[in-house]
Amino acid sequence: MLEETLYSRYYSYLDKTYFEFILCPKIDKIERIECDIRRHKVYASALNYDGHHNGVNDKINIILIDTPEHGVKINKVTIQKSISEKEFTFI
């Protein structure tokens, strides 16, 4: 539940190009920036909705910074093509 809540918070900052990446949201890692509990580097991922119907998903990987001064800044977005949902659960 926590992962879904955090992912939904950051999902709204993504470009509309990535609107279908809503399945199996994961927060892969959270790192504090300079040991500050209010500043984080977040690594997140999810699968695309279309893959749910055909068995072959695309996976989005997101790296972002979340700080009180600057809010959420998306640093990097990559897409892995043709990953099975079963494979995703073990990553």
Side-chain angles (χ1 to χ4, degrees):
M1 182 73 96
L2 178 60
E3 284 186 295
E4 291 171 355
T5 302
L6 279 174
Y7 186 82
S8 64
R9 170 179 157 63
Y10 298 129
Y11 178 78
S12 64
Y13 291 92
L14 289 173
D15 185 287
K16 297 297 179 202
T17 307
Y18 308 112
F19 75 96
E20 67 181 50
F21 288 91
I22 58 171
L23 293 178
C24 303
K26 292 175 80 176
I27 302 299
D28 300 308
K29 183 168 57 168
I30 299 175
E31 297 174 350
R32 287 185 181 167
I33 298 173
E34 298 177 4
C35 298
D36 189 329
I37 62 170
R38 298 172 301 146
R39 292 170 180 78
H40 299 93
K41 185 172 188 177
V42 179
Y43 300 81
S45 57
L47 300 178
N48 66 325
Y49 182 75
D50 287 341
H52 177 68
H53 298 288
N54 64 26
V56 180
N57 295 87
D58 293 340
K59 176 184 169 193
I60 190 170
N61 296 294
I62 307 156
I63 302 172
L64 60 90
I65 301 290
D66 188 355
T67 63
E69 303 87 7
H70 304 291
V72 175
K73 302 279 185 190
I74 304 291
N75 287 1
K76 186 176 182 181
V77 176
T78 57
I79 305 292
Q80 285 179 268
K81 297 285 188 180
S82 302
I83 183 170
S84 70
E85 192 170 333
K86 184 177 181 181
E87 188 178 356
F88 180 72
T89 59
F90 295 107
I91 294 178

